Amino acid sequence: MNRSLVRLLVLLTVLLGVNYLAWRWLESLNWSAWWIAVPLVLAETYSLVHVALFGLTVWRPRLRGEAGDPPAGATVDVLVSTSDEPLDQVLRTALAAQAIRYPHRTWILDDGARPELGALAAGHGLGYLARGEDRTGRPQPAGARGLDHALTATEGEFLLLLDADQVPDPEILDRTLGWFGDREVALVQTPLWFAGVPDHDPLGSQDPLFHGPVQQGKDGWDAALFCGTNAILRREALLQLGRSGHLEETERDVKASLARTRAALRRARRSPEAANPVVSGMLDDVEAATERARTELRAGAPLAELTHRLQREVDAAARRTVTRDFSQIEADLASIAALELPPEDGMVWPDELAAAVDRMSRRDLSPLAAVEPVRRVLEAVSADRPGEARPVVPLATIPVAEDMALTTRLHGLGRRSVYHHEILVRGVAPEDLGTVLARRRHRARATVQVLLRENPLLQRRLGWGQRLMHFATMWSCLGGFAAVVYFAAPIVYLVLGVLPVTSLDGDFFARFVPFVVVHQLLVLVVARGIPTWRTRQYRLALFPVWIGACTTAARTVWSGRPPGLAVEPGVRQDAGPAWHLVRPQLVVMGMLAAALVVGALRLAVGLNEPVGTLVNVAWAAFDLVVLSVLVTAARYPGPDPEKRSADAVHG
């Protein structure tokens, strides 16, 4: 790659884009049609930010050479993850992993816990781990998947992660382990590449622009991304991540617990039971303890000491309350003792009173626990989660899918990632559009969740280049909203004659055309002959997937619900044409086609001007070409088994 040429084109693209967009905002907005003019200029602003982030990504690509020799004595576990893939496919990948030349041990991580797969693994000398319950008998958090379990059951210094449809080459470890000679390297990622994909790639399975120039560009900023498979991870870095994540999660739990306690106290004060002096005294004690804890938390007090002291103060408050309840019993016992009456069975005497107070002070036995407002306060002040296993492991503390969150957090710890640009794993090509859409939807939703929960721009432990590189990946998932506007604008003009700009004059073309031409030239130079058209088609054509992922992620994050784990399908989803999966796009295609006819008729009768009609006809035709890929994809019968097998074997 000619780095100087790329940088020149990046600068020209950004300057021309800013020049065009400034003119659009300041001089060309058709405010009489603000309902389409403003959305369009916002979409164009989004696109310029996307272009600028792409330019920054490719500004200083890292083109790595050989990794060198593996670290002396390095031990490796190869982990093949599966959920519902066919057994023969899983076994094929596992046996290929077993045949890797570098000494290692191969494990199958079965998220589906299938006994028949366990038997197959045992018959071939493969390790087998099924996700289930932890050692306490509690269910593991969904985000942990099988990797956290594998960390406790394996011992290798490094972990090679493979999905069940990703078949490794025998030399993969020999070619990649050398990068770990740098102790700060925690991750080495290799490309995702699929065998058996036709040259026209109807499902958009391959993404050579991302698994090439984009990843190399991110690597130049020390921000190469983990893709969930085809990667080697350093165990020690994962355990460090687990400890850090556990502490962060505990701090969030403590803050949430104190917030819940304040709200519960407010509700309890308004309840009729609060008129009881005993209840009111208990609430005063708990409120004073939690306010002290909140002050100490802001001052940076150690969490362990803070929570321990809070629990002791709350328990002491419960004991004082129970002691007050027992005061009358003490008086009665004193009277009985003075009368020197023979004791009855079961009578509590003074020397037994202290033990009785201890027992009744327990939160589950205290009479106050039966008073609803107090019970809620006692529950709120508890920062633990007794119904869930909480191992100090990395992925259990990550609230979304592992790949993006894990990368961001590793970089936040000062660890480094490496992108090794060599095809060392050959995947099984997706067989239908349903599988492709499910995978893309899952990954987009997870990425947006990271943006909303852990915006990399706000992570002080990341370098500014790393922040922008992680943000660029997340920003691309918002493109579905801009795509809707790009489809709507030509329809609006051709059918209604409404322009979102004041006029399509020479000033417009002088600003817009150079920007588009230079940007396209930049992509061509960066791609170095790599086909990019299919990737760019799908980026626009899958607008319902991106919008759905954004809205679902937002609802999950803002509602405070745990995101759970969406398992990516491993088998074909549709037996025939999948028109139902692209219904919104088919509707848009119909509207565009109808708009072309209406626009021609309006031009014929003089209702539309020639220049505006020509521009919007070309725009609508381009949109139709973009969306047409989904017609082919919905009818795609699947890859040729013979070609896929040959590609997998011979690469």
Side-chain angles (χ1 to χ4, degrees):
M1 179 187 297
N2 189 325
R3 182 170 297 190
S4 298
L5 177 59
V6 168
R7 291 183 174 182
L8 175 62
L9 291 173
V10 168
L11 291 174
L12 286 175
T13 300
V14 173
L15 289 174
L16 291 171
V18 170
N19 175 63
Y20 167 72
L21 200 61
W23 174 79
R24 287 282 289 113
W25 275 104
L26 299 175
E27 299 183 33
S28 72
L29 276 181
N30 182 6
W31 288 107
S32 63
W34 63 268
W35 47 274
I36 185 63
V38 173
L40 180 58
V41 76
L42 288 174
E44 290 178 300
T45 303
Y46 165 86
S47 297
L48 179 59
V49 173
H50 183 77
V51 168
L53 289 172
F54 174 77
L56 185 65
T57 300
V58 300
W59 183 261
R60 57 176 194 188
R62 179 169 291 166
L63 309 180
R64 295 182 182 268
E66 299 289 332
D69 296 330
T75 57
V76 182
D77 287 303
V78 180
L79 311 178
V80 178
S81 300
T82 177
S83 55
D84 64 348
E85 291 85 359
L87 298 183
D88 59 341
Q89 178 176 304
V90 178
L91 185 61
R92 175 170 173 251
T93 299
L95 292 178
Q98 193 178 47
I100 292 174
R101 295 194 184 105
Y102 189 88
H104 67 284
R105 184 168 182 191
T106 302
W107 300 81
I108 295 177
L109 307 186
D110 187 9
D111 205 46
R114 292 173 285 181
E116 60 274 23
L117 183 55
L120 275 175
H124 289 83
L126 299 164
Y128 177 80
L129 297 170
R131 179 185 156 215
E133 296 183 340
D134 78 338
R135 281 172 279 184
T136 67
R138 298 170 179 170
Q140 290 179 297
R145 295 185 69 179
L147 181 53
D148 282 333
H149 182 38
L151 283 172
T152 64
T154 62
E155 299 178 350
E157 183 182 359
F158 302 101
L159 305 170
L160 169 59
L161 305 186
L162 299 168
D163 282 348
D165 60 353
Q166 301 292 321
V167 181
D169 285 358
E171 67 273 14
I172 181 171
L173 293 176
D174 295 293
R175 302 287 297 169
T176 55
L177 282 177
W179 298 117
F180 290 102
D182 181 347
R183 292 291 304 173
E184 295 304 314
V185 171
L187 162 70
V188 175
Q189 179 68 55
T190 68
L192 270 66
W193 185 88
F194 294 95
V197 176
D199 293 337
H200 61 291
D201 193 10
L203 300 180
S205 303
Q206 312 284 32
D207 192 351
L209 186 62
F210 177 82
H211 297 287
V214 170
Q215 276 280 54
Q216 289 173 321
K218 291 181 183 295
D219 196 16
W221 295 99
D222 291 324
L225 292 182
F226 172 50
C227 299
T229 183
N230 304 8
I232 304 95
L233 292 165
R234 188 190 294 271
R235 176 189 296 272
E236 179 264 330
L238 288 177
L239 295 178
Q240 179 190 7
L241 179 64
R243 291 189 295 270
S244 172
H246 181 77
L247 291 175
E248 291 176 0
E249 186 183 27
T250 301
E251 183 174 358
R252 286 195 298 269
D253 283 346
V254 171
K255 290 180 179 178
S257 175
L258 293 175
R260 289 195 302 269
T261 304
R262 175 176 282 180
L265 282 166
R266 285 198 300 267
R267 290 192 296 270
R269 297 288 191 192
R270 295 193 295 267
S271 68
E273 294 91 337
N276 185 325
V278 175
V279 173
S280 179
M282 175 68 169
L283 295 178
D284 289 341
D285 289 341
V286 173
E287 183 171 19
T290 54
E291 286 302 321
R292 282 193 296 272
R294 193 174 287 110
T295 301
E296 292 173 359
L297 184 63
R298 287 195 296 267
L303 288 177
E305 296 179 11
L306 184 153
T307 55
H308 179 65
R309 187 159 49 248
L310 175 60
Q311 300 297 337
R312 288 181 58 189
E313 291 181 1
V314 171
D315 291 341
R319 182 181 178 85
R320 286 193 298 270
T321 304
V322 172
T323 301
R324 287 194 293 267
D325 282 351
F326 271 69
S327 61
Q328 185 59 48
I329 297 177
E330 288 183 285
D332 292 342
L333 289 174
S335 300
I336 293 172
L339 294 174
E340 298 183 352
L341 297 176
E344 300 291 339
D345 291 341
M347 178 67 70
V348 179
W349 291 97
D351 57 348
E352 300 174 10
L353 186 60
V357 170
D358 288 338
R359 290 196 300 272
M360 296 301 289
S361 296
R362 287 172 47 193
R363 295 186 194 181
D364 55 342
L365 295 180
S366 171
L368 290 177
V371 181
E372 183 65 16
V374 179
R375 183 184 65 79
R376 290 179 179 175
V377 171
L378 292 175
E379 289 178 352
V381 81
S382 177
D384 63 341
R385 287 189 269 172
E388 181 179 289
R390 299 186 68 195
V392 185
V393 286
L395 303 188
T397 60
I398 292 179
V400 288
E402 297 87 1
D403 44 10
M404 176 62 69
L406 187 143
T407 310
T408 305
R409 292 192 177 186
L410 282 175
H411 289 151
L413 293 176
R415 296 291 190 154
R416 299 180 57 207
S417 59
V418 168
Y419 176 67
H420 182 88
H421 187 54
E422 180 181 6
I423 296 174
L424 295 169
V425 183
R426 290 166 172 78
V428 177
E431 296 184 354
D432 66 320
L433 184 61
T435 301
V436 170
L437 295 186
R439 293 181 179 183
R440 292 188 181 224
R441 186 180 301 111
H442 164 58
R443 294 184 181 276
R445 182 171 64 247
T447 301
V448 176
Q449 284 173 346
V450 177
L451 174 63
L452 297 176
R453 290 178 183 270
E454 306 177 27
N455 188 337
L457 295 180
L458 306 179
Q459 302 300 314
R460 290 176 295 177
R461 293 179 297 180
L462 296 175
W464 72 269
Q466 291 175 319
R467 297 185 200 185
L468 290 173
M469 290 302 98
H470 291 308
F471 179 75
T473 302
M474 301 170 188
W475 181 256
S476 65
C477 294
L478 307 179
F481 301 101
V484 170
V485 180
Y486 291 144
F487 293 137
I491 295 174
V492 168
Y493 178 78
L494 293 173
V495 174
L496 303 177
V498 176
L499 271 177
V501 297
T502 51
S503 65
L504 293 174
D505 54 13
D507 206 12
F508 169 79
F509 290 107
R511 296 172 186 271
F512 177 72
V513 173
F515 166 58
V516 172
V517 170
V518 174
H519 174 235
Q520 297 304 314
L521 184 59
L522 170 63
V523 174
L524 288 174
V525 171
V526 168
R528 306 190 301 274
I530 294 173
T532 62
W533 169 242
R534 189 65 80 216
T535 298
R536 298 161 80 184
Q537 266 188 299
Y538 269 98
R539 186 171 295 142
L540 279 172
L542 295 185
F543 67 93
V545 172
W546 314 136
I547 293 175
C550 291
T551 55
T552 301
R555 283 197 305 268
T556 298
V557 172
W558 293 337
S559 68
R561 298 195 310 269
L565 178 69
V567 177
E568 297 181 9
V571 295
R572 185 180 179 91
Q573 303 296 296
D574 298 291
W579 301 118
H580 62 287
L581 296 176
V582 293
R583 194 171 291 124
Q585 292 95 324
L586 294 176
V587 170
V588 171
M589 292 181 72
M591 294 173 66
L592 287 166
L596 289 173
V597 176
V598 173
L601 294 176
R602 287 176 61 88
L603 176 64
V605 299
L607 294 177
N608 284 356
E609 63 167 353
V611 175
T613 300
L614 179 62
V615 169
N616 284 279
V617 163
W619 192 350
F622 175 79
D623 287 344
L624 283 170
V625 171
V626 167
L627 292 170
S628 67
V629 66
L630 295 178
V631 175
T632 304
R635 300 174 56 198
Y636 182 55
D640 182 353
E642 293 184 4
K643 183 178 187 302
R644 180 170 62 187
S645 177
D647 286 346
V649 173
H650 301 294

